[in-house]
Amino acid sequence: MIEQIRLKNFKKFREERISLNKGRNILVGENGVGKSSILLAISCVLSGSYSLIERLGVHTLFNMEAINEFMVSNKEFKDLPIVDVELFISEDIINHDLNGKKNSTKEKKNGLRMRISPDEELSEYIADALKDTSIFPFEYYKVEFNTFSDRTYSSYKRYPNYIKYSYLDSSKVNSNNAMQDYINRIYESKTDRTLRNRINNKYRDTTQKFSDSLYSEFALESPNDLKIKLNNQSGNSFQNNITVEKSGIQIQNLGQGERIFINTEFLLTNSSDDSRVVLIEEPENHLSFLNMHKLIDKIMEAGDQKQSFIATHSNMIASRLDLQNAIFFSEHGITRLEQLNSDTANFFEKAPDNNVLNFILSKRAVLVEGDAEYILMNEFYKYVQSNEPYAEDISIVACGGKTFKRYLEIAKILDKKVAVITDNDHDYEKNITEYYSSFVTEKIRIFADKEDLRHTFEVSLYEYNKTFIDDNLKSHNMSKGVQHYMLSNKAEAAFRLLCVFTDNNENTSLDYFEIPTYIKDAIVWIRN
């Protein structure tokens, strides 16, 4: 359906082209990086709604960098920035209303366009405003909706009419308008226009009889010739007064998570709903873990029946719906993982509790083997670098030694700087040097203890700090020694050490603990 979107001076985007999948498009990123702006841009263009733009406010759609650059320039009319959003529609649709050269490529393409530009008929007023004031002249801008064949369209007269869309924003699912829109979609999906007219006619007849009974049966008084009646004059009077129930509970009284779930499920899987493009904003909001799984199953069942755009922060949604469908937004740009090996994409789809989004969205990352390393690494980093890792856009990800290569494959595609902290498992040359030889680059380094006898994290910690650990962890229950306890209870031992480091006792701080050399080297390298 929509093959590509081009944005110029829209929200965070100065100039951007993004190719889109015909089925699922998973838009992933931190807050404020532009994923929601893509949903909004598509919605604005497909709606053809001048009232929507007026409601949003033209000033909210402009790229502020473009505005600021203009305001410190000579402020010539010809240099005023414009907003331009183009949707390129797949060529398999034959429609002369869509096809033309009125687009940024100057080639014959199918598409729709929204343009917000200064009104040339008001150029004198704009020139005076620019000369006499220090504010940007948003008031003198006009909004135009055109197909690539240069036909105008609007929410009342669309070209073509069959490109319909639905937009679900989980943050607004509580609003009366959103709920009524959802109820109307359900009703309209179960009825055609003829049936709706028959139902409405019957409803008006029934309500008219009930209104009359107020005076005949219930003897309601009618002073001064004024009569109380049910309002049934609207052509949609029945539809305006219906609701939806689930298990005897009206949808307005269901929990927010339940409403989000059934709303999303309906948009994606109801074949009688004629929306071909579905926009969903953060469906994971207010959903339990189990309902999240159910929602993902529904999205997967929908397949490519509809083109969906799902903005999310959820590791589970992004990975379960295939990382190859994901578009990643960050302050550093937009990236995709189309080249990702299908086997690796399938791994993340099935892997439990993966943190792949944290890894992808961070500027740099440290991969560690398990819970024990993860528990202590943040404190080690703070001690060595005198700062929190997150403050320097560094994520620490526990992913298990056998999955390092899966993450490193992503790192190579994204050109991300990554330090792997792992065990040598009694053979540094074989398990580190040889095993990771094809992954090591200028931006990927593997760090492990080079002494084979210090074969794992716990052994290294103990060998470097025997006295400190014995003094602070040893108890009479550890009949086989502290090191044996650490190896048998890795996460618990690490947590106890963390408590020792952070108990505000100056004699047990990290000043008296030696962080193993390979860990310090990794921490210093990842920051540089």
Side-chain angles (χ1 to χ4, degrees):
M1 176 59 75
I2 304 172
E3 290 187 335
Q4 188 183 84
I5 182 171
R6 170 186 172 258
L7 306 108
K8 180 180 176 67
N9 293 329
F10 185 86
K11 293 285 195 174
K12 291 185 68 70
F13 302 101
R14 288 299 301 269
E15 179 74 42
E16 195 73 55
R17 286 182 185 271
I18 307 171
S19 296
L20 304 168
N21 305 317
K22 67 177 182 178
R24 290 190 294 269
N25 293 269
I26 314 302
L27 313 183
V28 180
E30 297 294 347
N31 292 327
V33 295
K35 63 185 188 299
S36 297
S37 297
I38 299 298
L39 300 187
L40 179 61
I42 294 172
S43 173
C44 287
V45 177
L46 291 182
S47 73
S49 173
Y50 297 96
S51 61
L52 171 62
I53 305 303
E54 185 177 344
R55 197 160 60 245
L56 292 169
V58 166
H59 64 285
T60 68
L61 303 180
F62 263 91
N63 178 274
M64 290 311 300
E65 186 181 341
I67 298 294
N68 293 336
E69 281 185 10
F70 176 80
M71 294 306 292
V72 297
S73 70
N74 292 328
K75 296 197 288 188
E76 300 286 339
F77 179 87
K78 63 181 178 61
D79 297 325
L80 280 163
I82 63 168
V83 169
D84 200 1
V85 180
E86 296 174 322
L87 301 184
F88 290 81
I89 310 298
S90 55
E91 297 294 325
D92 58 339
I93 295 176
I94 308 300
N95 189 290
H96 296 299
D97 292 333
L98 282 178
N99 193 261
K101 295 184 178 181
K102 291 292 184 178
N103 61 75
S104 54
T105 70
K106 308 301 182 186
E107 300 174 1
K108 288 202 78 174
K109 300 282 186 182
N110 289 337
L112 303 170
R113 184 178 199 176
M114 178 185 74
R115 185 179 172 90
I116 304 175
S117 59
D119 191 335
E120 292 190 7
E121 294 182 3
L122 303 176
S123 58
E124 291 185 15
Y125 294 103
I126 296 174
D128 289 342
L130 291 172
K131 183 173 65 175
D132 298 337
T133 69
S134 59
I135 59 174
F136 191 82
F138 293 112
E139 296 82 1
Y140 300 106
Y141 269 69
K142 62 180 179 179
V143 181
E144 299 170 286
F145 295 101
N146 295 91
T147 70
F148 286 180
S149 67
D150 210 25
R151 288 178 178 269
T152 61
Y153 69 95
S154 69
S155 56
Y156 299 102
K157 186 179 181 181
R158 295 182 184 175
Y159 290 100
N161 191 48
Y162 55 79
I163 301 181
K164 295 185 178 180
Y165 78 101
S166 296
Y167 191 171
L168 172 62
D169 184 347
S170 65
S171 68
K172 299 175 182 176
V173 77
N174 276 332
S175 74
N176 291 333
N177 287 340
M179 288 308 305
Q180 190 59 49
D181 179 60
Y182 171 60
I183 292 167
N184 287 342
R185 284 201 306 270
I186 292 178
Y187 175 61
E188 290 172 5
S189 73
K190 307 298 182 186
T191 59
D192 60 24
R193 182 179 295 276
T194 301
L195 180 57
R196 288 196 293 274
N197 288 340
R198 289 175 57 204
I199 291 172
N200 203 60
N201 181 264
K202 180 67 174 176
Y203 176 76
R204 289 201 307 117
D205 179 57
T206 301
T207 53
Q208 177 66 41
K209 289 175 180 176
F210 182 80
S211 293
D212 292 343
S213 74
L214 292 174
Y215 298 92
S216 60
E217 183 177 346
F218 298 103
L220 190 68
E221 292 186 10
S222 174
N224 303 324
D225 241 10
L226 297 176
K227 281 193 173 184
I228 295 171
K229 299 190 58 110
L230 287 173
N231 184 356
N232 63 6
Q233 297 305 303
S234 166
N236 295 316
S237 54
F238 174 74
Q239 193 166 334
N240 293 338
N241 287 284
I242 61 175
T243 187
V244 170
E245 285 189 356
K246 181 180 181 181
S247 302
I249 302 174
Q250 289 190 7
I251 190 170
Q252 293 91 336
N253 297 325
L254 292 172
Q256 189 166 3
E258 183 84 8
R259 291 199 298 275
I260 290 169
F261 180 82
I262 58 178
N263 211 328
T264 305
E265 177 187 14
F266 175 81
L267 289 182
L268 287 168
T269 62
N270 196 305
S271 58
S272 57
D273 177 24
D274 58 0
S275 297
R276 300 187 67 185
V277 176
V278 178
L279 312 171
I280 303 176
E281 177 81 21
E282 297 182 5
E284 68 270 18
N285 284 357
H286 309 285
L287 289 183
S288 68
F289 182 80
L290 290 178
N291 274 338
M292 180 86 78
H293 272 286
K294 292 178 184 177
L295 178 66
I296 290 170
D297 288 342
K298 293 297 181 184
I299 295 172
M300 293 177 74
E301 286 173 15
D304 293 342
Q305 297 173 19
K306 302 184 181 187
Q307 187 177 29
S308 58
F309 297 85
I310 303 170
T312 182
H313 292 110
S314 167
N315 278 295
M316 188 190 300
I317 288 177
S319 56
R320 286 284 308 280
L321 296 180
D322 192 343
L323 290 173
Q324 293 172 313
N325 292 325
I327 305 171
F328 299 95
F329 294 78
S330 72
E331 294 178 356
H332 315 294
I334 297 172
T335 54
R336 306 187 66 143
L337 294 176
E338 294 167 312
Q339 313 139 261
L340 189 66
N341 183 290
S342 294
D343 188 50
T344 296
N346 290 336
F347 165 81
F348 284 111
E349 184 179 326
K350 302 299 182 184
D353 302 326
N354 70 72
N355 295 295
V356 67
L357 289 197
N358 307 28
F359 174 73
I360 289 170
L361 297 176
S362 61
K363 186 176 180 181
R364 291 164 287 178
V366 178
L367 301 181
V368 298
E369 287 226 15
D371 293 341
E373 291 89 338
Y374 183 81
I375 288 168
L376 290 171
M377 200 56 59
N378 198 81
E379 202 66 22
F380 288 167
Y381 188 97
K382 281 166 51 181
Y383 182 78
V384 173
Q385 301 289 23
S386 302
N387 203 1
E388 293 278 3
Y390 68 80
E392 298 177 336
D393 290 324
I394 295 172
S395 64
I396 297 173
V397 179
C399 57
K402 292 184 178 180
T403 66
F404 283 145
K405 285 188 175 182
R406 304 289 189 187
Y407 284 85
L408 294 181
E409 184 185 340
I410 295 175
K412 290 179 79 170
I413 294 172
L414 300 180
D415 196 31
K416 183 184 297 293
K417 189 171 185 179
V418 179
V420 174
I421 296 177
T422 186
D423 300 334
N424 67 47
D425 293 329
H426 298 288
D427 193 334
Y428 183 90
E429 183 63 26
K430 176 184 176 182
N431 297 323
I432 305 301
T433 305
E434 295 178 12
Y435 186 72
Y436 290 102
S437 60
S438 62
F439 285 92
V440 174
T441 65
E442 288 185 1
K443 289 196 172 181
I444 297 176
R445 289 278 301 275
I446 315 299
F447 296 87
D449 201 315
K450 293 184 178 180
E451 172 54 60
D452 289 349
L453 292 176
R454 295 194 290 264
H455 60 94
T456 190
F457 177 67
E458 288 75 21
V459 173
S460 288
L461 292 183
Y462 187 72
E463 290 297 319
Y464 274 90
N465 300 278
K466 288 183 180 179
T467 301
F468 183 97
I469 291 175
D470 283 345
D471 288 346
N472 290 285
L473 288 192
K474 191 173 183 180
S475 73
H476 66 277
N477 294 322
M478 299 177 188
S479 58
K480 295 182 180 180
V482 178
Q483 182 172 290
H484 182 272
Y485 169 81
M486 292 175 68
L487 289 168
S488 302
N489 304 273
K490 293 186 175 186
E492 180 64 23
F495 179 69
R496 290 190 182 189
L497 268 178
L498 180 66
C499 292
V500 170
F501 299 146
T502 57
D503 68 355
N504 296 321
N505 184 339
E506 62 179 26
N507 295 320
T508 60
S509 71
L510 276 168
D511 290 333
Y512 298 93
F513 188 89
E514 185 173 358
I515 300 170
T517 302
Y518 73 99
I519 296 176
K520 285 190 291 188
D521 289 346
I523 291 170
V524 171
W525 179 82
I526 194 64
R527 188 189 192 191
N528 294 337

